Amino acid sequence: MSIQITFPDQHQQDFEDGVTVSAIASGISNSLAKKAVAGKLDGEFIDLNLPIEHDGALEIITKDSDEGLQILWQTGAFVLAAALKELYPDIHFGQGAAIEDGFYYDTDRKDGQVSADDLETVAKKMRELIKANAALKPVLLSRAEAFEMFKNDPFKKQLVEAAGDPIKGYQLGDFVDFESGVLAPSLSVLKHFSLLSVAGAYWEGKSSNPMLQRIYGTAYFKEEDLVEDAKRRQEAKDRDHRVIGRDLDLFFVDPEVGAGLPYWMPNGATIRRTIERYIVDKEVADGYEHVYTPVLANLDLYKTSGHWDHYREDMFPPMDMGDGEMLELRPMNCPSHIQIYKHHIRSYRELPLRIAELGQMHRYEKSGALSGLQRVREMTLNDGHTFVALDQVQEEFKKILSLIMDVYKDFNINDYTFRLSYRDPANTEKYFDDDKMWNQSQTMLKAAMDEMGLDYYEAEGEAAFYGPKLDIQTKTALGNEETMSTIQLDFMLPERFDLTYVGNDGEDHRPVMIHRGIVGTMERFVSYLIEMYKGAFPTWLAPTQVELIPVNLDLHMDYVKELRQKMVAAGLRVKIDDRNEKMGYKIREAQTKKVPYTLVVGDKEMGEAGVAVRKYGEDSTTEESAKMFIESIVAEIGNYSR
Ligand code: ATP
Ligand code: ZN
């Protein structure tokens, strides 16, 4: 009996039934055999040394591919568990898996959870196992066998139930596990690994379930890749907005008070207020009318808008007021701005009508997804809705996009791409039902982008349920893609709310609505900026712009206060460090707080109406007249981050 294997280049070859991936690789070349760590048959990973028993499309997974890394990380998870079991025979296991940058295993112990302090011991045990290089044997367990094997392990038992019958697993000595998928044939590939951290993780990700200890690790085939990875992780830590937010006292989130509900401390609030004032001024200058609308509304509003039908799982449950009224926290501001539109009879002369607000909204994000300011449950969106006549869509879209790009320049955001999101043509029933609307609006957005000469990519199936959109994707400091701004067309809400304007023909017409956010939510935007600037905010955003340090508190305080007054009058945010500390210490601390300008003032400066200026990040000090300094910093602030 022979089987037919199709290779990625469509070339086909017959092999004897039961041939292994390893044998096929050897047949092609020695170097391929050396690099191979697993196979992928018809899209599913298979062990290098297990027989192939049917025809299929085969890919050989090698060390230099992403999938090769995945196999390595699956092997890492397995060996981690094997080492833990040897060290702590009473340990229970939850899930273990390869993730995008390494692997993890969830564990639980009655007496003494595995902690970060134990990682060195665990790594040592893993190295012993790897060195012994015992055979890693694929095994096939019947469900009954697996139940028997894991009968004392409460989480594992549930995983057995979900795993089907029989279960493919691996054996190393006495240790058997099926959790992490197909493994590399030999432990020797796992030479360059490290265990990284331990963090709590709820069983099945549900906060009502027990908390397990998730142990993270990573591994690479080459040592230099592991070193590179460690550098990247350190960089990520240094930029982590949650860490910087704590160090600079910008904000906090206390799960005991409310997960995903941030508190902005004065420093963070100052940054946010500066951004809010900036963006409101910018929008008002661009023809927007800013409003304030309530976060609460009658649930019927969201039934009319369709949010209740299509967006409910992201919404907080309604509040039953006991008198028949149901109040809902808004997940979006659109229905509110529609109320503003509807409050008057609108004429074509008023269009485009641009309603904007720093609109607070609430979304019930999953607790596992919450992260600092980056993903929260209460957020304030730099929101706006433009109501236009159909023939104004293209122009208005271009105007909004120009505003967005202008704002980006002020923040010195240069790394972004455009994504035009369409509905999924294979799944149209998921979307608002109007083919003509979809086709027409998608065409208009595309035409506008082309007229502006911008590059973009088109993403089918990424549209909102009410219309196509343009997302502006930025890269975070750590390289992750994130949506910062959006422009979304909507032909549906005007229909649902029966919006009209009186045309110059005297008849009623339906406007088109454009949803747009420029810098997105204050929360996510500030988290982005913290990481981008590593906490060293440009002068116009810095909570404290100037720190004044008198050389001698008795002699120089009056002059310093006088300086502060002048600076405050010029609109600057100034602090005096009047503590009884050494000057060197105060200067260092101002650097730690990343204050853009530290000014030291002693006899010399007082005599010459001057200041000794030290810029953040620089070691040298320059003497300037106080007047010049104020003029130049004010000019710098006026230029934002350009
Ligand atoms: P995501 O895909 O990140 O959940 P979304 O596509 O649902 O976002 P939109 O409804 O387009 O987001 O929201 C508009 C803006 O709100 C976006 O700029 C997005 O960055 C921001 N945003 C959405 N959800 C959150 C959140 N939970 N915390 C902070 N900002 C958020
Ligand atoms: Zn909207």
Side-chain angles (χ1 to χ4, degrees):
M1 268 284 283
S2 75
I3 54 171
Q4 190 178 56
I5 295 296
T6 309
F7 292 98
D9 62 359
Q10 298 312 314
H11 156 81
Q12 291 183 326
Q13 197 177 332
D14 290 339
F15 291 93
E16 212 166 294
D17 188 1
V19 66
T20 63
V21 182
S22 166
I24 294 177
S26 298
I28 298 172
S29 80
N30 268 339
S31 64
L32 182 63
K34 258 200 197 141
K35 282 198 297 187
V37 288
K40 207 171 186 186
L41 187 65
D42 296 334
E44 296 225 7
F45 285 130
I46 58 162
D47 188 278
L48 206 56
N49 296 317
L50 282 183
I52 302 177
E53 277 151 354
H54 56 83
D55 295 353
L58 179 72
E59 251 179 276
I60 295 172
I61 306 301
T62 58
K63 289 178 184 175
D64 42 23
S65 68
D66 285 349
E67 287 178 323
L69 273 179
Q70 192 182 334
I71 297 291
L72 180 68
W73 292 336
Q74 291 179 175
T75 312
F78 178 93
V79 177
L80 168 61
L84 287 164
K85 187 75 186 173
E86 264 199 57
L87 287 169
Y88 316 107
D90 65 335
I91 200 164
H92 290 159
F93 291 110
Q95 273 168 324
I99 47 178
E100 61 177 12
D101 57 358
F103 56 86
Y104 71 82
Y105 224 112
D106 286 347
T107 65
D108 189 36
R109 287 188 74 208
K110 263 211 196 68
D111 308 309
Q113 298 286 9
V114 179
S115 77
D117 294 339
D118 303 316
L119 292 185
E120 196 37 58
T121 315
V122 179
K124 195 166 156 235
K125 178 57 77 184
M126 286 173 72
R127 277 193 288 273
E128 277 172 30
L129 294 175
I130 294 162
K131 211 159 166 207
N133 200 13
L136 203 49
K137 220 170 71 196
V139 291
L140 212 53
L141 302 173
S142 71
R143 173 180 289 227
E145 278 174 309
F147 262 128
E148 178 57 27
M149 193 171 278
F150 298 109
K151 64 173 183 249
N152 297 319
D153 211 327
F155 308 111
K156 213 79 201 178
K157 261 187 354 203
Q158 293 182 50
L159 292 169
V160 170
E161 233 157 274
D165 188 12
I167 304 174
K168 288 183 196 154
Y170 282 87
Q171 182 163 14
L172 178 70
D174 292 338
F175 180 76
V176 176
D177 193 29
F178 59 87
E179 201 23 45
S180 38
V182 168
L183 308 185
S186 153
L187 294 189
S188 64
V189 292
L190 205 64
K191 252 186 256 149
H192 312 295
F193 75 91
S194 63
L195 296 183
L196 300 165
S197 57
V198 182
Y202 292 111
W203 168 240
E204 292 179 322
K206 284 199 203 108
S207 59
S208 51
N209 281 343
M211 169 89 85
L212 306 180
Q213 302 303 306
R214 178 166 294 183
I215 303 174
Y216 288 97
T218 194
Y220 287 88
F221 290 104
K222 293 195 209 115
E223 187 174 6
E224 62 255 38
D225 290 344
L226 186 64
V227 172
E228 203 42 50
D229 181 273
K231 270 197 216 143
R232 223 171 18 240
R233 284 177 200 273
Q234 188 56 45
E235 178 72 9
K237 258 192 207 154
D238 291 346
R239 287 191 189 269
D240 190 328
H241 82 277
R242 294 165 301 182
V243 177
I244 296 174
R246 190 186 54 221
D247 291 349
L248 299 182
D249 204 18
L250 303 179
F251 73 93
F252 69 88
V253 184
D254 181 356
E256 304 262 303
V257 185
L261 302 173
Y263 285 73
W264 295 75
M265 295 301 283
N267 287 340
T270 299
I271 296 169
R272 170 169 167 177
R273 188 175 63 251
T274 307
I275 297 168
E276 290 183 343
R277 284 179 175 170
Y278 161 84
I279 199 73
V280 172
D281 287 350
K282 196 90 187 166
E283 287 174 343
V284 168
D286 207 37
Y288 285 86
E289 321 244 26
H290 261 264
V291 298
Y292 297 100
T293 59
V295 290
L296 277 174
N298 194 299
L299 181 62
D300 288 343
L301 187 65
Y302 303 103
K303 288 188 177 159
T304 307
S305 69
H307 287 100
W308 187 242
D309 278 344
H310 296 275
Y311 202 70
R312 191 181 314 184
E313 60 187 46
D314 292 288
M315 291 162 71
F316 277 74
M319 285 169 244
D320 186 340
M321 304 314 292
D323 59 358
E325 190 182 22
M326 301 289 262
L327 286 179
E328 180 63 34
L329 276 169
R330 68 177 170 203
M332 292 187 193
N333 305 309
C334 340
S336 314
H337 291 180
I338 285 174
Q339 299 312 303
I340 300 264
Y341 182 93
K342 276 180 83 103
H343 190 63
H344 293 302
I345 292 170
R346 302 293 180 180
S347 143
Y348 73 96
R349 290 174 202 279
E350 292 175 85
L351 305 187
L353 182 67
R354 308 181 181 93
I355 308 292
E357 180 176 11
L358 293 167
Q360 194 182 53
M361 40 194 218
H362 291 78
R363 295 182 180 181
Y364 195 70
E365 302 278 0
K366 291 195 179 62
S367 64
L370 299 173
S371 167
L373 289 179
Q374 205 265 336
R375 189 171 288 280
V376 295
R377 285 177 172 164
E378 176 181 280
M379 64 208 88
T380 297
L381 181 62
N382 163 222
D383 208 356
H385 295 91
T386 300
F387 300 87
V388 292
L390 186 59
D391 61 3
Q392 295 172 324
V393 163
Q394 213 150 308
E395 276 315 300
E396 185 63 16
F397 178 83
K398 281 159 67 178
K399 184 177 163 71
I400 296 167
L401 190 47
S402 303
L403 176 64
I404 291 173
M405 285 159 55
D406 195 33
V407 167
Y408 281 13
K409 277 199 195 127
D410 284 340
F411 285 94
N412 198 20
I413 297 169
N414 304 308
D415 196 3
Y416 55 89
T417 54
F418 298 108
R419 179 179 70 184
L420 262 186
S421 297
Y422 304 142
R423 70 175 169 171
D424 180 357
N427 227 336
T428 50
E429 72 282 359
K430 255 176 58 188
Y431 302 86
F432 178 62
D433 180 23
D434 186 338
D435 286 339
K436 183 166 155 256
M437 174 294 255
W438 279 97
N439 295 335
Q440 205 165 341
S441 57
Q442 290 180 176
T443 309
M444 279 197 236
L445 296 200
K446 191 172 159 58
M449 293 301 288
D450 291 337
E451 278 173 25
M452 288 178 81
L454 297 168
D455 280 340
Y456 54 92
Y457 64 98
E458 295 164 285
E460 282 184 342
E462 287 293 316
F465 72 86
Y466 47 80
K469 61 178 177 175
L470 177 76
D471 285 329
I472 295 133
Q473 304 293 105
T474 50
K475 275 254 176 69
T476 66
L478 304 178
N480 300 321
E481 202 174 88
E482 197 170 76
T483 304
M484 181 161 302
S485 315
T486 58
I487 309 176
Q488 316 190 344
L489 288 205
D490 191 340
F491 287 57
M492 180 191 78
L493 283 180
E495 194 75 38
R496 285 188 168 237
F497 283 95
D498 192 22
L499 301 186
T500 55
Y501 66 90
V502 182
N504 72 353
D505 56 2
E507 301 284 317
D508 278 353
H509 297 271
R510 187 78 75 211
V512 178
M513 197 172 162
I514 305 177
H515 312 251
R516 39 107 290 177
I518 308 284
V519 295
T521 56
M522 292 306 131
E523 287 75 11
R524 190 170 291 180
F525 188 55
V526 170
S527 79
Y528 171 88
L529 293 181
I530 293 172
E531 299 193 351
M532 164 167 156
Y533 297 128
K534 256 191 180 173
F537 280 90
T539 309
W540 75 286
L541 293 171
T544 301
Q545 296 166 320
V546 180
E547 180 115 348
L548 287 165
I549 303 180
V551 173
N552 183 312
L553 290 182
D554 295 326
L555 300 178
H556 308 125
M557 205 52 189
D558 286 346
Y559 176 57
V560 163
K561 282 186 179 159
E562 198 185 304
L563 280 178
R564 176 178 60 186
Q565 208 177 356
K566 282 194 183 133
M567 292 181 182
V568 170
L572 301 177
R573 295 187 288 270
V574 189
K575 282 214 169 114
I576 300 177
D577 191 344
D578 57 2
R579 292 172 305 166
N580 246 327
E581 298 283 356
K582 291 231 167 59
M583 209 175 61
Y585 174 80
K586 290 185 184 179
I587 293 176
R588 274 197 307 281
E589 230 192 37
Q591 297 285 302
T592 318
K593 286 189 289 179
K594 303 179 197 270
V595 176
Y597 293 97
T598 306
L599 270 47
V600 178
V601 179
D603 282 342
K604 182 165 178 286
E605 288 76 22
M606 204 163 97
E608 295 169 358
V611 286
V613 183
R614 183 194 276 243
K615 218 175 162 184
Y616 173 77
E618 289 176 10
D619 290 331
S620 58
T621 304
T622 54
E623 293 281 338
E624 262 179 70
S625 82
K627 188 164 172 286
M628 286 277 288
F629 171 77
I630 294 174
E631 276 170 19
S632 71
I633 187 176
V634 167
E636 181 195 338
I637 289 167
N639 265 330
Y640 307 111
S641 309
R642 274 178 193 247

